Each structure stands twice: as structure tokens, then as C-alpha cells.
Amino acid sequence: MSGFFRRIYDWLLRMFWATEMDVTMIGLQNAGKTSLLRVLAGGEFTYDSIPTVGFNMKRVQKGHVTLKCWDLGGQPRFRSMWERYCRGVSAIVFIVDSADASCIPVAKDELHSLLQKPMLNGIPLLVLGNKSDLPDKIGVDELIDVMELKEITNREVSCYAISAKEETNLDAVLQWLIGRAKK
């Protein structure tokens, strides 16, 4: 298909068959949520992201699907807001710094506490072990174990190792999310 016809085809898809889905990205501070969202939205990775205060929202266009991504602050004072922004979304994305072993038990407790909320039952969960490019990171199998993801039974759960910096596995993340778009 020539470039001109591809653009018309893409425009028609967006106009008549477009799907918009809400996705909430949560995780402890410094896990890489904002960096990941910036890269997914087509921007550059930067080392100097300032901590998110409250929340950000960005739209990520992938074919005929628009992901409306909510990026919530991960500091303790913002964690009580997580449930409100997770209600009714197409997917919850929980990001873990897989190279910081000291934060993983807290991340596990926060995730399991959040998933106890009845309003969130059944919402698919994608856990991302970010910073897979760093030497002291843990792998996916270990992350599944330490985060006790096999204990979560009231929803679909998937887990990937990613690197926002190296853009590792981001296509798989987008494909997983698009697969959960409500038609």
C-alpha cells in the first residue's frame, strides 16, 4: 500500500473503528512509570524525570487504538489515590524497579492491598519489571515469585521484563494492552 493510501486507511480506521481504552500505570516512586509512558508515547528516554506529583495523563496512539494512560505518583502519600484511578479501566499496569531489591517487598504489599478492593475485581493486571538493562535486576520468573503473582486469581495477570531506557519488550507491552481493549 502506498504511503498516501496507508494514511487514508489509517484515518478511516481511527474515524470509524477507533477504540479508546483507559490504562492506569502505578508502582512505587522511581520505578520508571513516567519514563515508560514518555517512551511509549514516542518521546525520548531521559534520566532526569522529576517525581510525579499526583498524576499525569498521556494518549498513546497505536493503529486504531488510543491508550489513555494515567501515570500516578508512587510516593506513599499518593498511593491512597490509586484505587480511584483504577476503577473501570481496561487494564492496570504495575511497574516495579526490578534492579532495586529493597523496594520489591513494599511493591508486593501495595499491589496485593490494592487488588483486595472489590471495585477492581476482574480488571486485567500487567506487572512490568522495569530496568531490565541494569546488571543487578531480577528476572521475570523471580519477579513472579517475589511479587506472589500466582496468588492473584480474580483476574488475568501477565508479567514482562522491560527496559524503558533500551525500549526492551515495549512492543509486547503494547500488544498485550491492545488485546484488552474493550470493543
Side-chain angles (χ1 to χ4, degrees):
M1 204 182 295
S2 77
F4 174 73
F5 289 111
R6 165 62 64 193
R7 285 194 301 275
I8 288 177
Y9 174 77
D10 288 344
W11 179 81
L12 286 169
L13 270 179
R14 283 195 304 275
M15 285 299 294
F16 299 106
W17 295 281
T19 302
E20 182 168 282
M21 61 185 289
D22 285 302
V23 174
T24 299
M25 295 185 160
I26 53 175
L28 304 186
Q29 66 274 23
N30 200 35
K33 299 174 295 297
T34 302
S35 295
L36 173 62
L37 187 52
R38 186 181 300 121
V39 171
L40 286 176
E44 292 289 311
F45 177 84
T46 57
Y47 285 98
D48 57 351
S49 278
I50 57 168
T52 301
V53 176
F55 62 89
N56 293 315
M57 192 277 286
K58 266 195 179 13
R59 290 178 192 279
V60 176
Q61 185 75 40
K62 191 72 175 171
H64 65 284
V65 178
T66 301
L67 303 170
K68 193 164 112 192
C69 298
W70 297 92
D71 163 22
L72 302 184
Q75 298 89 340
R77 71 179 188 268
F78 297 123
R79 295 177 196 162
S80 63
M81 295 179 4
W82 288 358
E83 180 199 359
R84 191 174 348 151
Y85 286 92
C86 289
R87 291 180 195 159
V89 297
S90 301
I92 297 169
V93 179
F94 193 88
I95 301 162
V96 180
D97 180 343
S98 65
D100 183 353
S102 67
C103 75
I104 293 176
V106 177
K108 177 196 70 127
D109 291 346
E110 291 290 348
L111 175 63
H112 285 268
S113 171
L114 177 71
L115 297 180
Q116 297 301 312
K117 311 286 192 224
M119 297 282 292
L120 306 183
N121 277 350
I123 298 173
L125 171 69
L126 178 59
V127 176
L128 301 176
N130 192 21
K131 306 185 186 179
S132 67
D133 55 300
L134 297 180
D136 43 347
K137 85 313 190 162
I138 63 171
V140 171
D141 293 337
E142 191 177 349
L143 187 61
I144 289 169
D145 288 343
V146 296
M147 292 292 293
E148 297 180 5
L149 299 182
K150 291 180 178 164
E151 317 288 313
I152 301 169
T153 56
N154 60 347
R155 71 192 69 243
E156 177 187 1
V157 180
S158 292
C159 184
Y160 293 111
I162 65 158
S163 168
K165 178 183 167 199
E166 303 287 329
E167 300 190 20
T168 307
N169 264 350
L170 299 192
D171 281 344
V173 168
L174 286 171
Q175 289 309 313
W176 189 93
L177 289 169
I178 290 166
R180 271 102 210 124
K182 296 177 177 121
K183 305 291 180 238

